[in-house]
Amino acid sequence: EGVAERKHRFHMAYWVNPDRGEMLFARRVVFVEGETEKVLFPYLADKLGCHSEDVSLIDCGSKHNLPLYAKIAEAFKLDYMVIHDEDPLPETIPEEWGEDKIREKRHLFQFNEVIQGVVGESRKVVVLSPDFEGFSGVSNTQAKKKGKALAALDHFKDIDADDIPQNLKDVVHRIYGNEKPV
């Protein structure tokens, strides 16, 4: 057994902590980049009347951890989805961005292909374009001021179910629906 394989197994064991272990008992597992999606999707599902306790949302800590979780789900033959930001480079690169930041942002966008390559089936992947805030209508200014999760909850707290943007409703229904992700 090589070092790379041992390291990979170690990381799998480390990342499946008690919080994330619930994935093994869920009807469907949804891997998301962070806390914002983990708290907002169930909140919206409650508003839409489709929340289900047997769907487990797992905060993977970052976009870069999503392939690891997809591999775990594949190994256990779990019904799962992956939801992540597209993170495209802006049409006009801000002047204050240096080469390192441009390279980092380009790598983040190209990582979409890595995720798709691991998951394989595009029906299991939902890409929020350009990113969570742009997709959901949550203000970037508020997200920076309050933190993304709190800004998202505040944004939707006074919005009726009928007024939730249709694209967001569609994602919530895909997460909590009884059918396989399409």
Side-chain angles (χ1 to χ4, degrees), residues 2 44 47 55 66-67 70 73 110 138-139 141 155 162 169 171 181:
L44 294 178
K47 278 190 177 243
V55 174
L66 293 170
Q110 291 169 339
V138 173
S139 158
T141 307
H155 178 80
D162 292 342
K169 284 183 192 176
V171 171

Side-chain angles (χ1 to χ4, degrees), residues 137-148:
V138 173
S139 158
N140 273 317
T141 307
Q142 290 300 307
K144 286 179 179 141
K145 187 167 118 182
K146 299 177 181 176
K148 283 172 55 171

Side-chain angles (χ1 to χ4, degrees), residues 1-123:
E1 176 176 62
V3 172
E5 181 60 27
R6 286 182 61 221
K7 183 177 175 185
H8 182 70
R9 276 205 347 256
F10 170 80
H11 283 156
M12 279 187 162
Y14 174 76
W15 283 103
V16 180
N17 62 27
D19 256 3
R20 296 174 179 132
E22 71 185 50
M23 78 174 98
L24 300 173
F25 304 99
R27 173 178 55 87
R28 172 171 299 137
V29 182
V30 181
F31 300 115
V32 296
E33 289 186 39
E35 69 175 353
T36 304
E37 298 88 345
K38 181 175 172 58
V39 299
L40 186 68
F41 288 136
Y43 179 77
L44 294 178
D46 278 339
K47 278 190 177 243
L48 294 169
C50 65
H51 187 264
S52 175
E53 291 296 328
D54 60 358
V55 174
S56 179
L57 273 77
I58 304 295
D59 168 358
C60 294
S62 92
K63 184 176 189 173
H64 290 94
N65 293 329
L66 293 170
L68 171 67
Y69 286 97
K71 288 177 185 174
I72 293 169
E74 291 287 338
F76 284 97
K77 296 181 178 15
L78 304 176
D79 176 0
Y80 76 97
M81 295 172 59
V82 174
I83 300 177
H84 66 85
D85 293 352
E86 179 186 24
D87 297 316
L89 283 169
E91 292 281 325
T92 308
I93 305 286
E95 287 182 24
E96 66 272 11
W97 284 16
E99 283 304 311
D100 286 347
K101 179 143 184 165
I102 293 169
R103 193 171 22 260
E104 173 191 325
K105 294 288 188 180
R106 187 172 291 122
H107 175 71
L108 195 59
F109 176 69
Q110 291 169 339
F111 200 73
N112 296 337
E113 292 176 27
V114 173
I115 295 167
Q116 187 61 57
V118 169
V119 175
E121 298 177 56
S122 60
R123 67 186 178 84

